[in-house]
Amino acid sequence: MDPILLNPFVSVTVAFLVYLVGAALTRRVAVLRDFNIPEPVSGGLLAAVLTMTVFVVWGRPVEFDLAARDYFLIVFFTGIGLNARLSDLLKGGLPLAILLALTIFYVILQNLIGVAGARIFDLPREFSVLLSSAALIGGHGTVIAWTPRIEEMTGGAAGVSEIGVAVATIGLVCAALIGGPIAKFLINRGQLEPERPDEEHTIGVGFDEEESETINHLTFMQVMLWVHVTIALGWSLFEVLEEAGVGLPPFVPCLLMGIVVGNLKPLLLPRAAPISRTPTLAMISDFALGTFLAMSLMSLQLWTLQGMGLVLIVVMGAQTLLSIVFSIYILFPAMGRGYRAAVLASGFGGVTLGATPTAIANMTAVTKRYGPSPMAFVILPLVSAFFVDIVNSFAIQFFLPL
């Protein structure tokens, strides 16, 4: 039957509702609150189950037009850049290098599980990357991009696209669910506290904080103006890089220009109203991330997972266990065993199974409850945005012929 198509305006409107439903669920359901499950995850998964019910009962898939989703993602990462201070970036040099090395090591481990899964279930060897980094660290975009190559290498084997998208979908769900519990375990075990508890929240506000009186229509308009100016500069940089043959997601140049604008503005315009690390920018970043993640999760087509039960259960169980164990027993000690390391561990679970926005949502939920950790929000996106795609590309090309 014909799908139920929802245009961009309706899709964004539904995303607002989904987020609010998720926030209400988090307030009322203790387990969601205790394990720091992000609000858009709670609402988004509920919406995905409802759309699956519509498909099962009436046979009509619900399809959202996600044309507006990327705007919210770019606004969010621009805010991350505007909040970054060069002094913090300089301090973060060593932790960033350690996190990058750990990520490279993890990509290898993840692909080894994919190789084992393909052999156990007697799948074509090229399917190994579909069960690992192409679909998980790479996400839906990467696995879709590699599908034609894998189909060509396997002589047109059936199920290439389906199994890749299925693994990416389940990975996104798992990524959104494990980050909070990982941080809760580490923080409670070590009685960890923020290094600087009085530091500003760079995304959202804490659960126990009231909205600042400095957030009004003027501050909102001022911050949005600077965000859009920065996006314009970032998009110009994106086009320059694209012409030079450097392929990066659009949000990466916007993040870079945010760092430039956020650090130059106080020097060039010292009397202008502050933008970086203000309650208004924190609120806008929280709103943009929440809307993006709500749209991503509510649009999951869970019915596409049918028929792949045993493969997905075994492989994704192993991949999820690897992510949890690696985050707790390898990444956390390597990053210093402090509060920031716990926040990064929650985000690392999101990156390795899902995507950067999922990782940031995990860290946001944790810092809202336990306290700020601005440096974590700079280190992790730099690794996942700059280096992961490059590392993953080499890994996929290496493991495909194995």
Side-chain angles (χ1 to χ4, degrees):
M1 299 179 67
D2 292 335
I4 300 172
L5 302 175
L6 302 180
N7 64 41
F9 176 79
V10 175
S11 298
V12 173
T13 304
V14 172
F16 294 159
L17 175 62
V18 164
Y19 184 94
L20 292 174
V21 169
L25 284 173
T26 301
R27 284 197 302 269
R28 289 171 171 77
V29 181
V31 67
L32 298 177
R33 186 173 59 254
D34 291 344
F35 286 97
N36 310 304
I37 304 302
E39 295 96 331
V41 173
S42 306
L45 292 180
L46 177 60
V49 171
L50 291 177
T51 59
M52 182 179 67
T53 303
V54 171
F55 177 80
V56 171
V57 175
W58 288 284
R60 300 186 66 184
V62 179
E63 297 183 2
F64 296 93
D65 190 326
L66 304 178
R69 184 180 62 172
D70 289 346
Y71 166 75
F72 293 105
L73 180 68
I74 289 175
V75 167
F76 167 71
F77 276 106
T78 300
I80 291 289
L82 288 170
N83 277 321
R85 294 171 179 165
L86 287 179
S87 57
D88 287 341
L89 291 175
L90 294 174
K91 293 178 184 177
L94 180 59
L96 188 140
I98 294 173
L99 184 60
L100 174 59
L102 292 174
T103 303
I104 294 173
F105 181 45
Y106 187 91
V107 169
I108 296 172
L109 295 179
Q110 191 174 75
N111 277 282
L112 290 176
I113 290 180
V115 170
R119 291 183 177 178
I120 290 172
F121 291 99
D122 197 26
L123 298 172
R125 65 174 184 262
E126 294 83 1
F127 275 45
S128 65
V129 297
L130 300 175
L131 302 175
S132 54
S133 67
L136 295 175
I137 285 181
H140 288 82
T142 299
V143 78
I144 291 172
W146 279 90
T147 293
R149 171 84 179 277
I150 296 173
E151 288 178 340
E152 179 183 346
M153 294 180 68
T154 57
V160 174
S161 176
E162 288 78 5
I163 196 168
V165 171
V167 171
T169 300
I170 295 180
L172 189 64
V173 174
C174 294
L177 295 177
I178 68 171
I182 287 174
K184 177 182 173 66
F185 170 75
L186 292 172
I187 291 172
N188 289 345
R189 184 183 67 175
Q191 297 296 304
L192 304 177
E193 296 181 352
E195 289 81 0
R196 293 172 55 189
D198 59 337
E199 200 163 15
E200 308 94 329
H201 280 275
T202 55
I203 301 177
V205 294
F207 285 144
D208 297 327
E209 296 181 34
E210 296 182 358
E211 293 292 337
S212 171
E213 295 180 0
T214 59
I215 301 177
N216 54 50
H217 66 287
L218 290 178
T219 61
F220 180 85
M221 193 66 72
Q222 289 167 349
V223 172
M224 283 304 297
L225 173 62
W226 278 103
V227 167
H228 274 230
V229 168
T230 305
I231 290 174
L233 295 172
W235 198 265
S236 299
L237 177 59
F238 167 74
E239 292 178 342
V240 171
L241 292 174
E242 195 173 45
E243 290 180 2
V246 179
L248 289 174
F251 72 81
V252 176
C254 292
L255 171 66
L256 282 177
M257 292 310 302
I259 295 174
V260 173
V261 172
N263 284 275
L264 286 182
K265 177 184 168 293
L267 300 176
L268 302 178
L269 300 171
R271 295 185 180 181
I275 302 298
S276 301
R277 301 198 176 187
T278 59
T280 305
L281 182 56
M283 181 194 69
I284 290 172
S285 297
D286 201 12
F287 165 74
L289 176 63
T291 305
F292 172 87
L293 199 58
M295 295 182 74
S296 297
L297 290 172
M298 75 186 192
S299 61
L300 294 178
Q301 297 182 333
L302 298 179
W303 58 87
T304 61
L305 305 182
Q306 60 185 353
M308 307 175 192
L310 186 59
V311 176
L312 294 178
I313 290 173
V314 173
V315 173
M316 287 309 302
Q319 294 287 17
T320 303
L321 181 62
L322 172 65
S323 181
I324 294 171
V325 171
F326 192 95
S327 298
I328 293 175
Y329 296 106
I330 297 180
L331 183 138
F332 177 70
M335 298 304 295
R337 298 180 180 272
Y339 176 74
R340 184 176 66 192
V343 174
L344 284 171
S346 73
F348 191 76
V351 168
T352 53
L353 294 177
T356 303
T358 312
I360 299 298
N362 288 347
M363 296 196 300
T364 300
V366 171
T367 55
K368 278 184 177 180
R369 179 167 186 179
Y370 295 104
S373 183
M375 196 60 212
F377 287 91
V378 175
I379 293 175
L380 188 135
L382 286 175
V383 171
S384 61
F386 277 122
F387 302 111
V388 162
D389 285 339
I390 299 173
V391 171
N392 197 21
S393 178
F394 281 108
I396 292 170
Q397 295 182 66
F398 176 80
F399 279 95
L400 263 181
L402 289 182

